[in-house]
Amino acid sequence: MTLSIKVGHQRQAKFMQQKSQCSSNLSSVASLLCSRINKDNCGSWYSPPALKMERFKSNRGAHINSCYDATLDEPPVYEETNFSNEEHRTVRPSVMSAFGHDTLDRVPNIDFYRNAGSLSGQRVVRPSLQELHDVFQKTVEDDVEKSDGTPSDDLESAEPLDSSKGAVRFGWIRGVLVRCMLNIWGVMLFIRLSWVFGQAGWGLGIVVILLSCVVTTITGLSMSAICTNGVVRGGGAYYLISRSLGPEFGGSIGLIFAFANAVAVAMYVVGFAETVVDLLIEHNALMIDPINDIRIVGCITVVLLLGISVAGMEWEAKAQILLLVILLVAIVNVFVGTAIPATEDKKSKGFFTKIFLENFTPDFRNGETFFSVFAIFFPAATGILAGANISGDLRDPQAAIPKGTLLAILITGVTYLGVALCVAATVVRDATGNRNNSVPLGTVCNGSSAIACDFGYDFSSCEVESCKFGLMNNFQVMTMVSGFGPLIIAGTFSATLSSALASLVSAPKVFQALCKDNIYKALYFFAKGHGKNNEPIRGYVLTFIISVAFILIGNLNTIAPIISNFFLASYALINFSCFHASYARSPGWRPAYKYYNMWLSLFGALLCCVVMFVINWWAALLTYGIEILLYIYVTVKKPDVNWGSSTQAVTFVSSVSNALSLSGVEDHVKNFRPQILVLTGSAQNRPPLLDLAHSFTKNYGLCITCEVFVGPKSEVLPEMNAGMESNQLWLVKRKRKAFYAAVACENFREGTESLLQASGLGRMKPNTLMIGFKKNWQIAGKDEVQSYVGILHDAFDFEYGTVMLRMDEGLDVSHIIKNFIARLVVKPVYTKKDLHMKEYYTNMNSVPPQIAKMNEKLMESSGLFKKKQPKGTIDVWWLFDDGGLTLLLPYILTTRKKWKDCKLRIFIAGEPGRSEADREEMKSLLHKFRIKCSDINVIDEIHIKPSLYFNSTRTFKEMIDPFRLHEGSKDTAHAEAMKKEHPWKITDQELSNFEEKVKPQIKMRLNEVLQENSKSANLIIVSMPIARKGSVSDYLYMAWLDALTRNLPPTLLIRGNHKSVLTFYS
């Protein structure tokens, strides 16, 4: 205990530091943000009750952030430190930890886990792994998310309501329980419940209510699990679904759910207006006519409800309490009325006692069935989301929503059963309402109302003519049964108005949450809130306009099934969200509410879908159609949000499962597809290489763009880590179906060797290396050339197919990109014209005209494979059998849209005198491979001298001369010394052996034949010659490749791994 007290006293604040710091934001180029650093208590890492947070007003001027410290999103602050060896370094201040010694490590704290830009509390940056691992290195460029102090637009960054400043926060009773009960207790309770039990009998009537409760209870359990799996913001059902299934599902259901609530306001208000107009008719006090009176009363009612809503949540909550009291009194009035002895007037209208068993069996009439009766009753149970819809106004939504919703379902379900059974036990199905139909006790009667004869009334006339009273005929049975009739009318008013008020509040709240996430850009106008409670005034006005419009229509019977289906679609997705999250088994799925089951949630989702069709099949199809269209729209627009949805988790699980399944299957030649590891450097550095590789793989193969960071790990790792995500995002935005991978290594060859060996997963690993031709091999250092050629040798050693692309203009545009970005930083104000890097280089005065022209050509050629290729040919020079890769890759190109106008032309080497036989053999082979080509050419003159033999030979010798050893004229000892000093140079013996095997005229003749036949081709593909290790030096091999591909259109050198990738067997 003493030690704890001492350590506690030692944990004092060490210093307070204020610092002004400005950071550049490249996305807006010139925006500079200065923020004040308010250093927190580093020693204690807890927030004392009296802690006062710095008020920060963002540069938008639209939000006041009362609890946001921008500096906590910035890299850590370092202090200067001198050591005994006079070494001066910068380190992050350490603290006295709970362990009694100075350490940079921090104890767990909630502030470490807040989102960047979160306004619900301070976000603190924990010490990075680099700081702890290498404490004396100043890691100013920490990879932490920056924040400009401007509150984010999504709900995660919504400023929490502060009740101390007047904002209203509700507990689970007022916020959830009361609202759900009022919304579930609708006009069905007083108007149609008696009819439901008259048609179905109390036996099937109980089934109807219980089945409805099963649907809502399962949905409530699923919703409880979801809302206890993290902090719940405003938005209700939309928030729960979108954060679980992603913006595609959330965005589609959120819009139709908000619309359904807006139209529901009109439906409830029309129900209220109809009751008022019935009273006016009864007292002969109509203003115009029934329909127009409904419109007038409805519009006036909506205006009054809007006034209550706009006045604030506190007024709305008080109105709900008042309406609840009236409703409870009306319900009690029904129970009291059934216990009061019946008067003669009530008896004539069918009110008796002890007829419970008589109403047990169903008596469906007028084409009604169990399902049609269920479809009429079920909308009464669709109010369970009333509390969740105002989740942003709840004090503790995670606790309030499960408790309030499930209790409301229980209470209202019991109430519906109690009221229905009481009425079914006291009222017959048919009654005349005529006191003159009384008969002596004991009279025997026939028909459905024979039981009435036992109580002195004969209602047999109802068998031949329609009657106005009884469970089947009178919708005002509750008024007749109750102890005091006017209270039932008041209860009807209360039920309709409370439901309308709840929907009027729910629709704008859900809609505001949807607009804040900016999924539908055009609706962002409605995201703005007003007042202490961030009230969606604009949403209220929009809801008011929609409800008034539907009230003026008057007849809502057609649209009512659609609205019910909209609510059911929301329930289905809530259940599916719970199932989906459980099925994914993501470690992040840890709901505090444990009383749920994933298969029960799936059953609930399916049950909701079935009920949708039971209610109205065409409305169900329309609901699905609208939801699918909205889903497709959101998917195409790709909102820039990432909420860690279960869809991502399931995708990951499916990917792992499929990869494991694939690993258990042996490769087959029919299923071969090129899986390319392409050395692009940064993803955007060599566009032609990436575009061509993407054309080979597209959506059907694996493509990995790779970069090797050369240098000490401590220097290159920060750059590599910083670029991982940005490069992958660049690929996604350019719609390149490829992955980005990077390694840090001391030299380029070792890094590439690591990639060749370790890239991929199971069967999903690269089988083809794609690399650009090293155009500057003659001026590059020997280490670079040795590394480059060594990579080719490594690829062959690892049995990779190898593809090399050469374009005369070059491939690398990294220098242009770097200078362009530098220009944007220096000159942040630019026009759209300046955005074109090509124009930037042609217009810059500081760039020499010759270099500007070269850069312009390079930029033009860099987009060569992005656009659709004109009509032309792909010339395939299949000189050596490598397993078929040289033929398969160009065939794949012809199946792509960009290359569909290009025809294949096949060129093969043939023996003199049998060209026709060679052509027929190749034609037969291609026919068996089912590969079409426009022409087959047999070149039988490759062995002859080129027409410019002496010029060609001289050019080749000039190419290799700087790299020759010229040891032939030296004595043996001197020659051996030269070989030892320059082992990488071309020896005379090596050159002689090379020229014996590969005659000089052949390599020159090949280039000449290529120029004669393929100069106008869109793309040339040539079998790549292989240099035997230890026999051909690196510079000689590079000269060989250079001489072969010089002055040609874009050329691919391809060499397969000599395993068949083509087959003619089925």
Side-chain angles (χ1 to χ4, degrees), residues 761-807:
L761 182 68
R763 300 286 183 192
M764 294 181 59
K765 61 182 302 180
N767 52 34
T768 305
L769 171 68
M770 191 166 181
I771 191 170
F773 178 74
K774 191 170 184 62
K775 187 180 177 183
N776 67 337
W777 66 273
Q778 296 181 69
I779 59 174
K782 66 177 180 63
D783 291 337
E784 286 189 36
V785 175
Q786 287 178 325
S787 178
Y788 180 83
V789 178
I791 289 170
L792 299 178
H793 288 307
D794 292 337
F796 294 138
D797 288 340
F798 297 136
E799 295 189 339
Y800 271 68
T802 306
V803 180
M804 182 186 295
L805 174 63
R806 176 169 186 175
M807 297 176 67

Short mmCIF file of all heavy atoms in Angstrom, two decimals, residues 761-807:
data_model
loop_
_atom_site.label_atom_id
_atom_site.label_comp_id
_atom_site.label_asym_id
_atom_site.label_seq_id
_atom_site.Cartn_x
_atom_site.Cartn_y
_atom_site.Cartn_z
N LEU A 761 -0.13 -16.53 -52.09
CA LEU A 761 -0.71 -17.30 -50.99
C LEU A 761 -1.22 -18.62 -51.54
O LEU A 761 -2.15 -18.65 -52.36
CB LEU A 761 -1.87 -16.51 -50.36
CG LEU A 761 -2.57 -17.14 -49.16
CD1 LEU A 761 -1.63 -17.16 -47.97
CD2 LEU A 761 -3.82 -16.34 -48.80
N GLY A 762 -0.61 -19.72 -51.13
CA GLY A 762 -1.03 -21.02 -51.61
C GLY A 762 -0.88 -21.13 -53.12
O GLY A 762 0.18 -20.85 -53.68
N ARG A 763 -1.97 -21.55 -53.77
CA ARG A 763 -1.97 -21.63 -55.24
C ARG A 763 -2.04 -20.26 -55.89
O ARG A 763 -1.75 -20.11 -57.07
CB ARG A 763 -3.15 -22.47 -55.72
CG ARG A 763 -3.16 -23.90 -55.22
CD ARG A 763 -2.13 -24.74 -55.91
NE ARG A 763 -2.18 -26.13 -55.47
CZ ARG A 763 -1.26 -27.04 -55.73
NH1 ARG A 763 -0.20 -26.69 -56.45
NH2 ARG A 763 -1.38 -28.26 -55.29
N MET A 764 -2.44 -19.28 -55.12
CA MET A 764 -2.54 -17.92 -55.65
C MET A 764 -1.19 -17.23 -55.49
O MET A 764 -1.02 -16.33 -54.68
CB MET A 764 -3.64 -17.14 -54.94
CG MET A 764 -5.03 -17.66 -55.19
SD MET A 764 -6.28 -16.68 -54.35
CE MET A 764 -5.99 -15.08 -55.06
N LYS A 765 -0.24 -17.68 -56.25
CA LYS A 765 1.08 -17.07 -56.21
C LYS A 765 1.54 -16.83 -57.63
O LYS A 765 1.12 -17.52 -58.57
CB LYS A 765 2.06 -17.96 -55.46
CG LYS A 765 2.31 -19.32 -56.04
CD LYS A 765 3.26 -20.11 -55.18
CE LYS A 765 4.58 -19.39 -55.02
NZ LYS A 765 5.55 -20.13 -54.19
N PRO A 766 2.40 -15.83 -57.84
CA PRO A 766 2.82 -15.48 -59.20
C PRO A 766 3.55 -16.64 -59.88
O PRO A 766 4.26 -17.42 -59.23
CB PRO A 766 3.75 -14.28 -58.99
CG PRO A 766 3.43 -13.76 -57.64
CD PRO A 766 2.98 -14.93 -56.82
N ASN A 767 3.35 -16.74 -61.20
CA ASN A 767 4.10 -17.71 -61.99
C ASN A 767 4.84 -17.05 -63.15
O ASN A 767 5.52 -17.72 -63.92
CB ASN A 767 3.18 -18.81 -62.53
CG ASN A 767 1.97 -18.25 -63.26
OD1 ASN A 767 2.05 -17.21 -63.90
ND2 ASN A 767 0.84 -18.93 -63.15
N THR A 768 4.69 -15.72 -63.24
CA THR A 768 5.30 -14.98 -64.35
C THR A 768 5.89 -13.68 -63.83
O THR A 768 5.20 -12.92 -63.13
CB THR A 768 4.27 -14.67 -65.45
OG1 THR A 768 3.65 -15.88 -65.86
CG2 THR A 768 4.93 -14.00 -66.64
N LEU A 769 7.14 -13.41 -64.16
CA LEU A 769 7.78 -12.13 -63.82
C LEU A 769 7.71 -11.21 -65.03
O LEU A 769 8.03 -11.60 -66.15
CB LEU A 769 9.24 -12.36 -63.44
CG LEU A 769 10.10 -11.09 -63.27
CD1 LEU A 769 9.65 -10.30 -62.05
CD2 LEU A 769 11.58 -11.44 -63.18
N MET A 770 7.26 -9.98 -64.77
CA MET A 770 7.20 -8.98 -65.85
C MET A 770 8.09 -7.81 -65.46
O MET A 770 7.99 -7.27 -64.35
CB MET A 770 5.77 -8.51 -66.08
CG MET A 770 5.59 -7.69 -67.33
SD MET A 770 3.85 -7.52 -67.76
CE MET A 770 3.98 -6.56 -69.26
N ILE A 771 8.97 -7.43 -66.36
CA ILE A 771 9.98 -6.42 -66.05
C ILE A 771 10.19 -5.55 -67.27
O ILE A 771 9.95 -5.98 -68.41
CB ILE A 771 11.30 -7.11 -65.63
CG1 ILE A 771 12.29 -6.12 -65.03
CG2 ILE A 771 11.92 -7.89 -66.78
CD1 ILE A 771 13.50 -6.79 -64.39
N GLY A 772 10.59 -4.33 -67.06
CA GLY A 772 10.89 -3.44 -68.17
C GLY A 772 12.34 -3.61 -68.63
O GLY A 772 13.22 -3.98 -67.84
N PHE A 773 12.56 -3.34 -69.90
CA PHE A 773 13.93 -3.43 -70.43
C PHE A 773 14.77 -2.28 -69.88
O PHE A 773 14.32 -1.13 -69.84
CB PHE A 773 13.90 -3.37 -71.96
CG PHE A 773 15.25 -3.41 -72.60
CD1 PHE A 773 15.97 -4.59 -72.65
CD2 PHE A 773 15.83 -2.26 -73.13
CE1 PHE A 773 17.23 -4.64 -73.23
CE2 PHE A 773 17.08 -2.29 -73.72
CZ PHE A 773 17.79 -3.49 -73.78
N LYS A 774 15.98 -2.60 -69.45
CA LYS A 774 16.87 -1.58 -68.88
C LYS A 774 17.52 -0.82 -70.03
O LYS A 774 18.57 -1.21 -70.55
CB LYS A 774 17.92 -2.23 -67.98
CG LYS A 774 18.69 -1.21 -67.15
CD LYS A 774 19.52 -1.91 -66.10
CE LYS A 774 20.22 -0.89 -65.21
NZ LYS A 774 19.27 -0.04 -64.46
N LYS A 775 16.90 0.26 -70.40
CA LYS A 775 17.32 1.02 -71.58
C LYS A 775 18.69 1.67 -71.38
O LYS A 775 19.46 1.84 -72.32
CB LYS A 775 16.26 2.07 -71.88
CG LYS A 775 16.47 2.83 -73.18
CD LYS A 775 15.36 3.86 -73.38
CE LYS A 775 15.60 4.68 -74.63
NZ LYS A 775 14.56 5.73 -74.80
N ASN A 776 19.02 2.01 -70.15
CA ASN A 776 20.27 2.74 -69.88
C ASN A 776 21.40 1.81 -69.44
O ASN A 776 22.31 2.20 -68.71
CB ASN A 776 20.04 3.81 -68.82
CG ASN A 776 19.73 3.21 -67.46
OD1 ASN A 776 19.27 2.07 -67.38
ND2 ASN A 776 19.96 3.95 -66.39
N TRP A 777 21.36 0.57 -69.88
CA TRP A 777 22.34 -0.41 -69.40
C TRP A 777 23.78 -0.03 -69.74
O TRP A 777 24.72 -0.41 -69.05
CB TRP A 777 22.01 -1.80 -69.95
CG TRP A 777 22.16 -1.93 -71.45
CD1 TRP A 777 21.23 -1.66 -72.40
CD2 TRP A 777 23.33 -2.38 -72.16
NE1 TRP A 777 21.71 -1.90 -73.66
CE2 TRP A 777 23.01 -2.35 -73.54
CE3 TRP A 777 24.61 -2.80 -71.78
CZ2 TRP A 777 23.92 -2.72 -74.53
CZ3 TRP A 777 25.52 -3.17 -72.75
CH2 TRP A 777 25.17 -3.14 -74.12
N GLN A 778 23.97 0.75 -70.81
CA GLN A 778 25.33 1.08 -71.23
C GLN A 778 25.97 2.15 -70.34
O GLN A 778 27.20 2.23 -70.24
CB GLN A 778 25.33 1.57 -72.68
CG GLN A 778 24.89 0.49 -73.68
CD GLN A 778 24.93 0.99 -75.10
OE1 GLN A 778 26.00 1.23 -75.66
NE2 GLN A 778 23.76 1.15 -75.70
N ILE A 779 25.14 2.97 -69.71
CA ILE A 779 25.69 4.04 -68.86
C ILE A 779 25.48 3.75 -67.38
O ILE A 779 26.00 4.45 -66.52
CB ILE A 779 25.07 5.40 -69.23
CG1 ILE A 779 23.55 5.37 -69.05
CG2 ILE A 779 25.44 5.80 -70.65
CD1 ILE A 779 22.89 6.71 -69.26
N ALA A 780 24.66 2.74 -67.07
CA ALA A 780 24.45 2.37 -65.67
C ALA A 780 25.70 1.70 -65.12
O ALA A 780 26.54 1.17 -65.86
CB ALA A 780 23.24 1.45 -65.54
N GLY A 781 25.84 1.70 -63.84
CA GLY A 781 26.99 1.05 -63.22
C GLY A 781 26.91 -0.47 -63.35
O GLY A 781 25.84 -1.04 -63.59
N LYS A 782 28.06 -1.10 -63.17
CA LYS A 782 28.12 -2.56 -63.33
C LYS A 782 27.24 -3.27 -62.31
O LYS A 782 26.66 -4.31 -62.59
CB LYS A 782 29.56 -3.04 -63.22
CG LYS A 782 30.21 -2.86 -61.85
CD LYS A 782 31.62 -3.43 -61.82
CE LYS A 782 32.26 -3.25 -60.45
NZ LYS A 782 31.55 -3.98 -59.39
N ASP A 783 27.13 -2.68 -61.10
CA ASP A 783 26.30 -3.32 -60.08
C ASP A 783 24.84 -3.36 -60.51
O ASP A 783 24.14 -4.35 -60.28
CB ASP A 783 26.43 -2.57 -58.75
CG ASP A 783 27.82 -2.74 -58.14
OD1 ASP A 783 28.50 -3.73 -58.49
OD2 ASP A 783 28.22 -1.87 -57.34
N GLU A 784 24.38 -2.29 -61.13
CA GLU A 784 22.99 -2.24 -61.59
C GLU A 784 22.73 -3.28 -62.67
O GLU A 784 21.72 -3.98 -62.67
CB GLU A 784 22.64 -0.84 -62.11
CG GLU A 784 22.47 0.20 -61.04
CD GLU A 784 21.92 1.51 -61.62
OE1 GLU A 784 21.09 1.43 -62.54
OE2 GLU A 784 22.35 2.57 -61.16
N VAL A 785 23.66 -3.39 -63.62
CA VAL A 785 23.49 -4.33 -64.72
C VAL A 785 23.56 -5.76 -64.19
O VAL A 785 22.75 -6.63 -64.56
CB VAL A 785 24.56 -4.10 -65.81
CG1 VAL A 785 24.46 -5.17 -66.90
CG2 VAL A 785 24.41 -2.72 -66.41
N GLN A 786 24.51 -6.03 -63.31
CA GLN A 786 24.61 -7.37 -62.74
C GLN A 786 23.35 -7.73 -61.95
O GLN A 786 22.88 -8.87 -61.99
CB GLN A 786 25.85 -7.45 -61.84
CG GLN A 786 27.16 -7.48 -62.61
CD GLN A 786 28.38 -7.52 -61.68
OE1 GLN A 786 28.36 -6.91 -60.61
NE2 GLN A 786 29.42 -8.21 -62.11
N SER A 787 22.83 -6.76 -61.23
CA SER A 787 21.61 -6.99 -60.46
C SER A 787 20.44 -7.27 -61.39
O SER A 787 19.64 -8.19 -61.15
CB SER A 787 21.31 -5.78 -59.57
OG SER A 787 20.12 -5.97 -58.86
N TYR A 788 20.35 -6.50 -62.47
CA TYR A 788 19.23 -6.66 -63.42
C TYR A 788 19.27 -8.04 -64.08
O TYR A 788 18.27 -8.76 -64.09
CB TYR A 788 19.31 -5.55 -64.47
CG TYR A 788 18.21 -5.61 -65.51
CD1 TYR A 788 16.96 -5.05 -65.25
CD2 TYR A 788 18.42 -6.23 -66.74
CE1 TYR A 788 15.95 -5.10 -66.20
CE2 TYR A 788 17.42 -6.29 -67.69
CZ TYR A 788 16.18 -5.72 -67.42
OH TYR A 788 15.18 -5.78 -68.36
N VAL A 789 20.42 -8.42 -64.63
CA VAL A 789 20.53 -9.72 -65.29
C VAL A 789 20.40 -10.84 -64.26
O VAL A 789 19.83 -11.90 -64.55
CB VAL A 789 21.86 -9.83 -66.06
CG1 VAL A 789 22.01 -11.21 -66.70
CG2 VAL A 789 21.94 -8.74 -67.13
N GLY A 790 20.89 -10.60 -63.06
CA GLY A 790 20.76 -11.60 -62.00
C GLY A 790 19.30 -11.89 -61.68
O GLY A 790 18.94 -13.03 -61.36
N ILE A 791 18.46 -10.86 -61.77
CA ILE A 791 17.03 -11.07 -61.53
C ILE A 791 16.45 -12.01 -62.58
O ILE A 791 15.63 -12.89 -62.26
CB ILE A 791 16.30 -9.70 -61.54
CG1 ILE A 791 16.66 -8.91 -60.28
CG2 ILE A 791 14.79 -9.90 -61.63
CD1 ILE A 791 16.19 -7.47 -60.31
N LEU A 792 16.87 -11.86 -63.83
CA LEU A 792 16.39 -12.76 -64.88
C LEU A 792 16.84 -14.20 -64.60
O LEU A 792 16.07 -15.15 -64.75
CB LEU A 792 16.90 -12.30 -66.25
CG LEU A 792 16.47 -10.90 -66.69
CD1 LEU A 792 17.08 -10.56 -68.05
CD2 LEU A 792 14.95 -10.81 -66.78
N HIS A 793 18.10 -14.35 -64.18
CA HIS A 793 18.58 -15.68 -63.83
C HIS A 793 17.79 -16.26 -62.66
O HIS A 793 17.44 -17.46 -62.66
CB HIS A 793 20.07 -15.62 -63.46
CG HIS A 793 20.98 -15.40 -64.64
ND1 HIS A 793 20.94 -16.19 -65.76
CD2 HIS A 793 21.96 -14.48 -64.87
CE1 HIS A 793 21.84 -15.78 -66.63
NE2 HIS A 793 22.48 -14.74 -66.11
N ASP A 794 17.49 -15.42 -61.66
CA ASP A 794 16.72 -15.88 -60.50
C ASP A 794 15.33 -16.33 -60.93
O ASP A 794 14.81 -17.34 -60.43
CB ASP A 794 16.60 -14.78 -59.45
CG ASP A 794 17.94 -14.45 -58.80
OD1 ASP A 794 18.83 -15.32 -58.82
OD2 ASP A 794 18.08 -13.32 -58.28
N ALA A 795 14.70 -15.58 -61.82
CA ALA A 795 13.37 -15.93 -62.29
C ALA A 795 13.39 -17.30 -62.97
O ALA A 795 12.50 -18.14 -62.75
CB ALA A 795 12.85 -14.87 -63.25
N PHE A 796 14.41 -17.55 -63.79
CA PHE A 796 14.52 -18.86 -64.44
C PHE A 796 14.79 -19.95 -63.39
O PHE A 796 14.25 -21.05 -63.49
CB PHE A 796 15.64 -18.84 -65.48
CG PHE A 796 15.35 -17.93 -66.65
CD1 PHE A 796 16.33 -17.10 -67.18
CD2 PHE A 796 14.09 -17.90 -67.24
CE1 PHE A 796 16.07 -16.27 -68.25
CE2 PHE A 796 13.82 -17.07 -68.32
CZ PHE A 796 14.81 -16.25 -68.83
N ASP A 797 15.62 -19.64 -62.39
CA ASP A 797 15.91 -20.62 -61.35
C ASP A 797 14.66 -21.01 -60.57
O ASP A 797 14.48 -22.17 -60.19
CB ASP A 797 16.96 -20.07 -60.38
CG ASP A 797 18.35 -20.02 -61.01
OD1 ASP A 797 18.57 -20.72 -62.01
OD2 ASP A 797 19.20 -19.26 -60.49
N PHE A 798 13.79 -20.03 -60.31
CA PHE A 798 12.56 -20.28 -59.57
C PHE A 798 11.42 -20.75 -60.47
O PHE A 798 10.28 -20.82 -60.04
CB PHE A 798 12.13 -19.03 -58.80
CG PHE A 798 13.10 -18.59 -57.76
CD1 PHE A 798 13.44 -17.25 -57.63
CD2 PHE A 798 13.68 -19.51 -56.90
CE1 PHE A 798 14.35 -16.84 -56.67
CE2 PHE A 798 14.59 -19.10 -55.94
CZ PHE A 798 14.93 -17.77 -55.82
N GLU A 799 11.75 -21.03 -61.73
CA GLU A 799 10.80 -21.55 -62.72
C GLU A 799 9.64 -20.59 -62.96
O GLU A 799 8.48 -20.99 -63.04
CB GLU A 799 10.29 -22.92 -62.31
CG GLU A 799 11.38 -23.98 -62.29
CD GLU A 799 10.84 -25.38 -62.09
OE1 GLU A 799 9.71 -25.52 -61.56
OE2 GLU A 799 11.53 -26.34 -62.46
N TYR A 800 9.96 -19.33 -63.05
CA TYR A 800 9.00 -18.31 -63.44
C TYR A 800 9.02 -18.17 -64.95
O TYR A 800 10.09 -18.25 -65.57
CB TYR A 800 9.35 -16.96 -62.83
CG TYR A 800 8.76 -16.70 -61.47
CD1 TYR A 800 9.18 -17.41 -60.35
CD2 TYR A 800 7.78 -15.73 -61.29
CE1 TYR A 800 8.65 -17.16 -59.10
CE2 TYR A 800 7.25 -15.47 -60.04
CZ TYR A 800 7.68 -16.19 -58.94
OH TYR A 800 7.13 -15.94 -57.71
N GLY A 801 7.86 -17.93 -65.55
CA GLY A 801 7.85 -17.39 -66.89
C GLY A 801 8.33 -15.96 -66.82
O GLY A 801 8.12 -15.27 -65.81
N THR A 802 9.00 -15.49 -67.87
CA THR A 802 9.59 -14.14 -67.83
C THR A 802 9.12 -13.33 -69.03
O THR A 802 9.15 -13.81 -70.16
CB THR A 802 11.12 -14.23 -67.82
OG1 THR A 802 11.53 -15.08 -66.74
CG2 THR A 802 11.74 -12.86 -67.62
N VAL A 803 8.69 -12.11 -68.74
CA VAL A 803 8.20 -11.20 -69.77
C VAL A 803 8.95 -9.88 -69.62
O VAL A 803 9.01 -9.31 -68.52
CB VAL A 803 6.69 -10.96 -69.64
CG1 VAL A 803 6.20 -9.99 -70.72
CG2 VAL A 803 5.92 -12.27 -69.72
N MET A 804 9.52 -9.39 -70.73
CA MET A 804 10.27 -8.14 -70.71
C MET A 804 9.67 -7.20 -71.76
O MET A 804 9.50 -7.57 -72.91
CB MET A 804 11.75 -8.38 -71.02
CG MET A 804 12.61 -7.13 -70.99
SD MET A 804 14.31 -7.47 -71.52
CE MET A 804 14.85 -8.55 -70.20
N LEU A 805 9.32 -5.98 -71.33
CA LEU A 805 8.73 -4.99 -72.24
C LEU A 805 9.75 -3.93 -72.58
O LEU A 805 10.39 -3.36 -71.71
CB LEU A 805 7.50 -4.34 -71.58
CG LEU A 805 6.86 -3.19 -72.35
CD1 LEU A 805 6.30 -3.65 -73.70
CD2 LEU A 805 5.74 -2.53 -71.51
N ARG A 806 9.87 -3.66 -73.90
CA ARG A 806 10.73 -2.57 -74.35
C ARG A 806 9.93 -1.60 -75.20
O ARG A 806 9.21 -2.00 -76.12
CB ARG A 806 11.91 -3.10 -75.17
CG ARG A 806 12.74 -1.94 -75.73
CD ARG A 806 14.05 -2.36 -76.32
NE ARG A 806 14.84 -1.17 -76.68
CZ ARG A 806 16.08 -1.21 -77.14
NH1 ARG A 806 16.70 -2.38 -77.28
NH2 ARG A 806 16.72 -0.09 -77.44
N MET A 807 10.05 -0.32 -74.86
CA MET A 807 9.49 0.76 -75.67
C MET A 807 10.59 1.78 -75.86
O MET A 807 11.27 2.15 -74.90
CB MET A 807 8.27 1.38 -74.97
CG MET A 807 7.10 0.41 -74.79
SD MET A 807 5.72 1.11 -73.85
CE MET A 807 5.13 2.36 -74.99
#
